[in-house]
Amino acid sequence: MSISGTSLPPTTHSPFSHLSHLECSREGTRHDADVVQVTSPVGAPLLARYDLERVAEAVTPADIASRPPDLWRYHEVLPVRDPAHVVTLGEGMTPLLPMPRAGARLGVPRLLMKDEGLVPTGAFKARGAAVGVSRAAELGVRGVAMPTNGNAGAAWAAYAARAGLGALVAMPVDAPEITRRECVVAGAELFLVDGLIGDAGRLVAAAVADRPGYQETSTLKEPYRIEGKKTMGYEIAEQLGWRFPDVLLYPTGGGVGIIAIHKAMRELQQLGWVTGDLPRLVAVQSSGCAPIVDAFERGARESVAPAEPRTVAFGITVPKALGDFLVLDAVYDTGGTAVAVDDDELLAAEHTLAREEGTWICPEGAACFAAVGRLREAGWLSGEEEVVVLNTGSGLIYPDTVSVDIPVLAKDGAIPPPRAGGGDLGGPGAR
């Protein structure tokens, strides 16, 4: 089944996609992109490669500017070959917002936020789901199956429903309640697992073996989730007038987002659409689950799972990512760094940003704002850089991160006068 929700151009003059092949991220071997693939024979993620010379001949940034404002505007460097197979809910082209008050407080006046909380299902996972489900449907997949910490499962369930595919989702029992409801309302088969995402993954892998036509779509175990997420990198460059920022911070769990943005920006350089240095990429984690940070501090190329991972930023509770070496490669390649912040820091950042800028972001995104302050205090940021923070989701899907104590007034009572020093950054119910 195919559903196109945007005005997509015909393919009479040029291919809709210039997808060439898949490449093993460890060994560089080539693999067929037109059959269902999982990982390479050595168990490494497969990366989609394109004929970028032909892309550069076929389309220009000016051409892209005239297209609808969604991620499919970059279809030549996306893997769906036929526009009839595009499954969309209008995802992409999220705002790149100046953060003047937060930037002034943190000593980084050129601070910007890419706000992924405005995409379908409330998190950046919709990008990967849109492209991953579209390509799965094009290749004849009947259902998708995945473990998730919550948001990815919600997104893939929604897009599978849109495409008419089955969806099997398993998530840790501690996953956010709202993401469970998103899966259920979209008709997915949902199971809670008394363990972590890795435990859920093992159960899903076993289940797929008994479900003909189902594809396991765990993080980086299929090649196309990353392609949807790389459009964040394309959008940032386009929104800045086809240039890169100086620094980009990304909350890092499975690491697909930071890997994807690094891939996008390398492609943009090869296309000749953007010149200059890549932004320094910063992987941000919680101190309760910081395998990438620990590996970076050791100068290692792979991570080691922490003994007891736990953080309120549930989306980045990933003890051992399949693509950890790709995350670290992206950080090393760009002269970036990796930072861990405590849960109390990221929660404070979440609340402060909402009062300063009127935007309630997810705790994972808030971790990045806390990290900006850390990096500025340490001198790693001079304060002159243009810094982009990726907020990966809406705070509305994390209601438990905010507690309120709201006064109840008698109907014949009166609203009390403002507290001394109050009125600017929250009312009596603010915490």
Side-chain angles (χ1 to χ4, degrees), residues 110-135:
R110 298 171 65 199
L111 182 63
L112 302 166
M113 180 177 75
K114 179 72 166 166
D115 191 3
E116 291 294 293
L118 302 181
V119 295
T121 73
F124 79 118
K125 305 287 187 177
R127 293 180 185 265
V131 176
V133 167
S134 295
R135 186 60 173 153

Side-chain angles (χ1 to χ4, degrees), residues 11 15-21 33-34 79-83 135 138:
T11 58
F16 190 68
S17 169
H18 288 273
L19 177 65
S20 170
H21 62 278
D34 288 311
V80 178
R81 296 200 185 277
D82 184 344
R135 186 60 173 153
E138 186 168 56

Side-chain angles (χ1 to χ4, degrees), residues 226-313:
I226 192 172
E227 296 304 291
K229 292 182 181 180
K230 82 177 181 186
T231 58
M232 291 184 290
Y234 277 82
E235 286 180 17
I236 290 167
E238 183 178 1
Q239 289 170 317
L240 291 175
W242 297 105
R243 62 177 178 83
F244 297 142
D246 298 311
V247 177
L248 192 149
L249 292 92
Y250 202 97
T252 305
V256 178
I258 197 168
I259 297 166
I261 288 173
H262 183 239
K263 183 177 188 288
M265 292 183 170
R266 282 296 185 200
E267 289 176 358
L268 285 164
Q269 285 185 323
Q270 293 174 60
L271 287 166
W273 293 357
V274 180
T275 59
D277 294 335
L278 295 181
R280 290 182 285 165
L281 296 177
V282 181
V284 180
Q285 299 193 298
S286 165
S287 56
C289 185
I292 296 296
V293 176
D294 293 342
F296 178 81
E297 291 176 349
R298 291 184 285 108
R301 290 285 171 178
E302 294 189 17
S303 66
V304 176
E308 296 183 7
R310 183 165 294 277
T311 169
V312 296

Side-chain angles (χ1 to χ4, degrees), residues 9-18 54-55 57-59 75-76:
T11 58
T12 52
H13 302 297
S14 178
F16 190 68
S17 169
H18 288 273
R54 292 186 63 195
V55 173
E57 293 170 357
V59 65
H75 59 78
E76 286 88 355

Side-chain angles (χ1 to χ4, degrees), residues 71-87:
L71 67 78
W72 297 100
R73 68 201 280 115
Y74 311 112
H75 59 78
E76 286 88 355
V77 288
L78 293 174
V80 178
R81 296 200 185 277
D82 184 344
H85 291 125
V86 166
V87 180

